[in-house]
Amino acid sequence: MTLDQKSDKDHRWWLLTVAWVIAFISTLSALFIGEVLGQTPCTLCWYQRICMFPLAIILGIASYQSDIKVVWYALPLSVIGLCIAAYHSLTYSGYIAEPIVPCGQDSSCTGSNMTILGGISLPYLSLAAFFLITFLLITLFRKIKT
């Protein structure tokens, strides 16, 4: 193995590991908000969790085993989560005039208790997490093809 091949392999592993760290922190955060703080997630948050929770496990195992072929089954989950998070963010910001169900009943993404770092809302954080994971996986996919 030449030095260039080793460097490229290390770069791929870092892309995978960073994607896993983002998914893992997102999963722990969602669990903390739901289980410790007792905040019931809205319907769109549930759908995003359905995509994020498996990513934390799949990317963690792939990172540990240096399995870069994980992109084939992690990228679809990430893209679906990204689409849901984008829709959720557009609904949250008011660009799509539709209430987030069941927001406004028992739980609400618009409440001040659903923001961190001085007002960054959870829908935007989820969008950022899915975007970064998708970007990293697409970058990894491009490296596999070259």
Side-chain angles (χ1 to χ4, degrees):
M1 178 180 288
T2 67
L3 188 58
D4 286 340
Q5 289 173 330
K6 180 162 175 38
S7 174
D8 194 43
K9 185 177 179 183
D10 288 344
H11 188 253
R12 292 177 188 175
W13 183 82
W14 276 107
L15 290 170
L16 190 56
T17 302
V18 170
W20 169 70
V21 167
I22 293 168
F24 186 69
I25 290 172
S26 297
T27 298
L28 289 181
S29 300
L31 289 172
F32 179 79
I33 290 167
E35 301 303 320
V36 176
L37 298 180
Q39 300 292 329
T40 305
C42 72
T43 303
L44 292 173
C45 288
W46 275 117
Y47 294 146
Q48 291 169 68
R49 287 178 177 206
I50 289 169
C51 292
M52 185 63 75
F53 288 5
L55 280 174
I57 296 167
I58 292 169
L59 293 173
I61 293 169
S63 180
Y64 178 74
Q65 295 180 343
S66 296
D67 179 13
I68 59 171
K69 292 181 182 176
V70 70
V71 72
W72 290 105
Y73 42 94
L75 190 57
L77 273 175
S78 181
V79 169
I80 292 168
L82 177 64
C83 292
I84 296 168
Y87 177 77
H88 192 188
S89 296
L90 289 171
T91 304
Y92 173 80
S93 63
Y95 288 109
I96 297 176
E98 181 179 316
I100 304 172
V101 180
C103 279
Q105 296 170 3
D106 295 333
S107 62
S108 176
C109 295
T110 60
S112 62
N113 58 346
M114 295 300 246
T115 61
I116 64 167
L117 301 172
I120 302 173
S121 69
L122 294 180
Y124 296 147
L125 287 172
S126 177
L127 179 64
F130 277 114
F131 177 79
L132 288 171
I133 292 169
T134 302
F135 174 77
L136 291 167
L137 290 175
I138 288 172
T139 304
L140 185 61
F141 180 75
R142 287 183 177 172
K143 291 204 171 285
I144 291 171
K145 290 295 182 186
T146 59

